[in-house]
Amino acid sequence: MAVTIKDVAKAAGVSVASVSRALNGRDNVTDETRHRILDVATKLRYRPNDAARSLITKRTQTIGAVLPDLHGEFFSELIRGIDVAARAQGLHLLVSSSHGDVDEATAAIRAMQGRVDGLLVMSPHVDASFLHESLPEALPAVLMNAPQDHSRFPTLNLDNHGGAVAMTRHLLGRGHRRIAMIGGPAGNLDADERRRGWLDALGEASLARDALLLDGDFSEESGYAAGKRIVALAQRPDAVFAANDMMAVGCLIALVESGVRVPDDVALAGFDDVPIARYVTPQLTTVRVRIADLGRAAFNRLIAELESPGSLPARTEILPCEIVVRASSGDA
Amino acid sequence: MAVTIKDVAKAAGVSVASVSRALNGRDNVTDETRHRILDVATKLRYRPNDAARSLITKRTQTIGAVLPDLHGEFFSELIRGIDVAARAQGLHLLVSSSHGDVDEATAAIRAMQGRVDGLLVMSPHVDASFLHESLPEALPAVLMNAPQDHSRFPTLNLDNHGGAVAMTRHLLGRGHRRIAMIGGPAGNLDADERRRGWLDALGEASLARDALLLDGDFSEESGYAAGKRIVALAQRPDAVFAANDMMAVGCLIALVESGVRVPDDVALAGFDDVPIARYVTPQLTTVRVRIADLGRAAFNRLIAELESPGSLPARTEILPCEIVVRASSGDA
DNA sequence: CCGCATCATGTAAACGTTTACATCACATGA
DNA sequence: TCATGTGATGTAAACGTTTACATGATGCGG
């Protein structure tokens, strides 16, 4: 029923080959015939069948994004960044998000096989190396926030460690000595790196020995719970560094509820710089991660890989973070 | 290079037809041969070629989502809702977002043709009817937040009008009489409906005559600007109803900066119930829209359409909103 | 034991492209 | 004038499936 290349060929009085050539901008077609063909094609509202085209070219003009169960702003920034970049290249974007664990992500990748020309994978799971192994050999892929242990794929990571070090140093610089951390979920790479950075910076100041680490899972609730625990502590920390902003916000609410003043009694810092960080009172000191940049960089890397496969070494790139000092760490 | 159905057939000692039948769960295959085929297939790591399959079946197992330039939470909630629902059905999700105007959206739809079995389209543009006309006849589609003027597609809308009426009544009930609105961008359907609801509710109270409408465009900055204008007003309103939360937040910041107390001097309300609404001080009274529900409902509608085309009438459904009273409207 | 229905399996066409190769017209140079 | 090169166009194979139809075996009633 739909109009095919044959219909166009017939109507234009040429062969299908010529139509194909004209439409794909090959140079071995007379300008005159090309024009005639193009005219007919638009007149007939011809649209090439993508499936047929993919079948023979083995290209889908689509890239896939496999993402973990990210929340809110992070997620939208990332997807939007990738989407815009993809559209600029005339590529489509197939997404599969909210994968809680490596198994789900692996399944998603498997399902995308054959539907995409390349893959953008974010899997902040420490056991993600297994996932990398299960990525098909032939499919170009770029990893984000992935463990960089001998992966055969280009990888882009945030400088979680560096950011955490910088923030901890900032708090030390403000004169704080007992700097507690609310950690992220177990098995999460970002959380691990941030914790490590905090510890390292404390170590520099010879304060690592009695460092206080509270459990958290990146949720606001877990931050709130941690805040309540802090309030109940015999000896309160001077400062609390939450492994992400939402936990910092939860903690802030808990502290305020209990009459603990921020930053006067306890300084507070987060990580991510989500929009909310600027709207809480006091505004939250945090580490800014340029998530849109991450998405864009990963996409560009993938494009490079698509255009000349194997040309780039599969090295790991680290995107810097910067600390953003606001009132919650005693800005004034 | 990749293993095809022929390889499986050869290895299993059967014809390609039998392999196809076995893999697709047809019943006209002996259990014994089916097992053998399945065994061979997994052993060979066979994966059907989607392009070839699509070519003949005319199905892509993919649905497309065409979205406007939504921001943050809205966007992620929606995509995530659709994604989860799609994956549950074994469908893939092709997204194309951040379309500022109808032309971009139309282009996106055109590009998706042939790649998707159905379309979810959100286009809160008042001139979207043109877009509907350009949707291909054959492609099932469900519209969200669309003008419902004789569209031939099922449409799901939020009850913007009802929500605005309810909120305005709430403010009136609190004793406010001069209730200003910060409006949304021109040509935006949601903004229009919210404004209309506000005016209607004022009309009920015979207060529509000197209603004060301030310009805005849904951005925080425009809310801030409106707030500054309000501060400068000779006769300030008792209450401000912003057409969305981000403008309400911007306005709040402007008011606080100028020493205007909320809600004591001026009550404030927003629309959307984005997460930030709960974190500002005072917490923001707003209208909750269940965006995830909208996505899910639209998706289910689309699935129904896919399974039995034309069975459902293309009627418009309105999803209710509920008002959430918090401190900014004088909760205490 | 024959004719017939039933049912598993095989054969081959079809889906709509791209592209290697063949063909053909024409210009060029000797 | 003829061989040869060039460049546009046509022919047909190939891509990897699904499926209508053909085939052949098997079981059954008469």
Side-chain angles (χ1 to χ4, degrees):
Chain A
M1 24 222 66
V3 30
T4 78
I5 197 173
K6 287 187 193 167
D7 301 320
V8 178
K10 201 171 298 177
V14 295
S15 73
V16 292
S18 293
V19 178
S20 175
R21 284 190 275 255
L23 261 47
N24 292 315
R26 297 260 181 290
D27 52 352
N28 47 358
V29 185
T30 325
D31 274 359
E32 192 260 324
T33 37
R34 180 190 307 272
H35 267 90
R36 184 156 34 100
I37 290 171
L38 260 41
D39 277 1
V40 172
T42 50
K43 199 155 301 168
L44 261 43
R45 295 172 161 278
Y46 168 68
R47 243 203 120 269
N49 180 308
D50 292 308
R53 187 174 275 184
S54 293
L55 179 57
I56 190 117
T57 61
K58 309 216 167 299
R59 279 295 202 126
T60 61
Q61 309 295 353
T62 304
I63 64 156
V66 175
L67 306 177
D69 200 4
L70 291 173
H71 258 310
E73 305 290 343
F74 243 81
F75 180 84
S76 56
E77 279 282 305
L78 195 58
I79 293 265
R80 166 188 261 106
I82 299 171
D83 177 52
V84 169
R87 199 155 61 248
Q89 298 269 347
L91 294 175
H92 292 262
L93 178 63
L94 201 60
V95 307
S96 187
S97 61
S98 51
H99 300 290
D101 56 35
V102 177
D103 288 344
E104 280 183 21
T106 307
I109 288 173
R110 210 181 302 278
M112 278 195 177
Q113 256 199 74
R115 305 188 162 269
V116 298
D117 295 337
L119 226 40
L120 249 31
V121 181
M122 176 179 275
S123 64
H125 311 284
V126 288
D127 53 348
S129 43
F130 154 68
L131 179 150
H132 308 166
E133 301 316 318
S134 79
L135 272 168
E137 194 73 36
L139 194 60
V142 172
L143 273 29
M144 298 182 289
N145 284 24
Q148 62 216 60
D149 39 340
H150 36 39
S151 167
R152 49 184 223 280
F153 297 101
T155 304
L156 274 83
N157 285 347
L158 293 173
D159 190 10
N160 287 304
H161 180 268
V165 166
M167 179 57 75
T168 309
R169 283 188 188 146
H170 160 73
L171 294 171
L172 288 167
R174 281 271 193 264
H176 302 297
R177 283 297 167 269
R178 291 181 47 79
I179 303 175
M181 164 161 269
I182 310 179
N188 181 291
L189 207 66
D190 297 314
D192 281 4
E193 289 293 288
R194 291 171 190 183
R195 180 163 29 74
R196 205 166 57 81
W198 161 73
L199 262 181
D200 286 353
L202 286 186
E204 288 172 3
S206 309
L207 290 167
R209 207 161 5 103
D210 40 28
L212 174 62
L213 177 67
L214 295 127
D215 284 339
D217 62 6
F218 277 169
S219 73
E220 185 197 335
E221 292 72 31
S222 72
Y224 182 88
K228 285 301 184 188
R229 258 174 290 147
I230 287 169
V231 170
L233 245 37
Q235 193 183 9
R236 277 191 207 145
D238 312 323
V240 176
F241 180 13
N244 79 344
D245 283 349
M246 288 319 294
M247 293 197 296
V249 169
C251 179
L252 174 62
I253 292 174
L255 296 179
V256 169
E257 263 185 24
S258 304
V260 177
R261 289 168 308 160
V262 176
D264 310 80
D265 298 335
V266 176
L268 186 62
F271 209 116
D272 286 348
D273 196 24
V274 299
I276 288 177
R278 298 195 338 269
Y279 296 110
V280 292
T281 316
Q283 293 191 14
L284 188 65
T285 289
T286 184
V287 182
R288 176 173 303 159
V289 305
R290 302 198 163 278
I291 194 75
D293 285 358
L294 178 66
R296 193 169 335 116
F299 179 83
N300 290 335
R301 188 69 176 268
L302 182 58
I303 292 297
E305 195 72 23
L306 285 177
E307 283 175 354
S308 50
S311 68
L312 286 74
R315 65 195 172 76
T316 296
E317 226 171 295
I318 308 266
L319 274 70
C321 300
E322 71 191 289
I323 71 171
V324 181
V325 178
R326 300 206 183 93
S328 76
S329 66
D331 180 30
Chain B
M1 27 226 71
V3 31
T4 78
I5 197 171
K6 286 186 193 166
D7 302 321
V8 177
K10 200 171 299 177
V14 295
S15 73
V16 293
S18 293
V19 177
S20 175
R21 283 189 276 254
L23 260 49
N24 291 316
R26 297 260 181 291
D27 50 353
N28 47 0
V29 186
T30 325
D31 275 359
E32 193 260 322
T33 36
R34 159 163 304 143
H35 266 90
R36 183 156 35 102
I37 291 171
L38 260 43
D39 276 2
V40 172
T42 50
K43 199 155 300 169
L44 259 46
R45 294 174 161 280
Y46 167 68
R47 242 201 119 275
N49 180 308
D50 293 307
R53 187 175 274 183
S54 292
L55 179 56
I56 189 118
T57 60
K58 309 213 167 302
R59 280 294 201 124
T60 61
Q61 309 296 354
T62 304
I63 64 158
V66 176
L67 304 178
D69 201 5
L70 291 173
H71 256 312
E73 306 289 343
F74 244 80
F75 180 83
S76 56
E77 280 281 305
L78 196 57
I79 294 266
R80 169 187 257 107
I82 298 172
D83 177 53
V84 169
R87 199 156 61 248
Q89 298 269 346
L91 294 175
H92 293 262
L93 178 62
L94 201 60
V95 307
S96 187
S97 61
S98 50
H99 301 290
D101 57 35
V102 177
D103 288 344
E104 281 182 21
T106 308
I109 288 174
R110 210 180 303 279
M112 279 196 178
Q113 254 198 77
R115 303 186 165 270
V116 297
D117 295 335
L119 225 41
L120 250 31
V121 180
M122 177 179 274
S123 65
H125 312 284
V126 288
D127 53 348
S129 44
F130 154 69
L131 178 149
H132 308 165
E133 302 315 319
S134 79
L135 271 167
E137 193 75 36
L139 195 58
V142 172
L143 272 32
M144 300 183 290
N145 286 24
Q148 62 216 62
D149 39 341
H150 35 39
S151 166
R152 50 184 221 282
F153 297 100
T155 305
L156 273 81
N157 284 348
L158 293 172
D159 189 9
N160 286 303
H161 180 268
V165 166
M167 179 57 75
T168 309
R169 283 187 189 149
H170 160 73
L171 294 170
L172 288 167
R174 282 271 195 262
H176 303 296
R177 283 296 167 269
R178 293 181 45 80
I179 304 176
M181 165 162 268
I182 309 178
N188 182 291
L189 207 66
D190 297 314
D192 281 4
E193 289 292 289
R194 292 170 190 185
R195 179 163 30 72
R196 205 166 57 79
W198 162 73
L199 263 181
D200 286 354
L202 286 185
E204 286 172 4
S206 311
L207 290 168
R209 206 161 6 101
D210 40 26
L212 174 61
L213 177 67
L214 295 128
D215 284 339
D217 63 6
F218 277 169
S219 73
E220 184 196 335
E221 291 72 31
S222 72
Y224 182 89
K228 286 297 182 191
R229 261 175 288 146
I230 287 168
V231 170
L233 244 39
Q235 192 184 9
R236 275 191 209 146
D238 313 322
V240 176
F241 180 13
N244 79 346
D245 283 347
M246 288 319 294
M247 294 198 297
V249 168
C251 179
L252 174 62
I253 292 174
L255 295 180
V256 169
E257 264 184 24
S258 303
V260 177
R261 289 167 309 158
V262 177
D264 310 80
D265 298 334
V266 176
L268 186 61
F271 208 116
D272 286 348
D273 196 24
V274 299
I276 289 177
R278 295 191 344 264
Y279 297 109
V280 293
T281 314
Q283 294 192 12
L284 189 64
T285 289
T286 185
V287 182
R288 174 173 305 158
V289 304
R290 302 197 163 280
I291 194 75
D293 284 358
L294 178 66
R296 193 167 337 119
F299 179 83
N300 290 335
R301 188 68 175 266
L302 182 58
I303 291 298
E305 196 73 22
L306 285 176
E307 284 175 352
S308 50
S311 68
L312 286 72
R315 64 195 174 75
T316 296
E317 226 170 296
I318 309 267
L319 274 68
C321 301
E322 71 191 287
I323 69 171
V324 181
V325 178
R326 300 205 182 94
S328 77
S329 67
D331 179 30

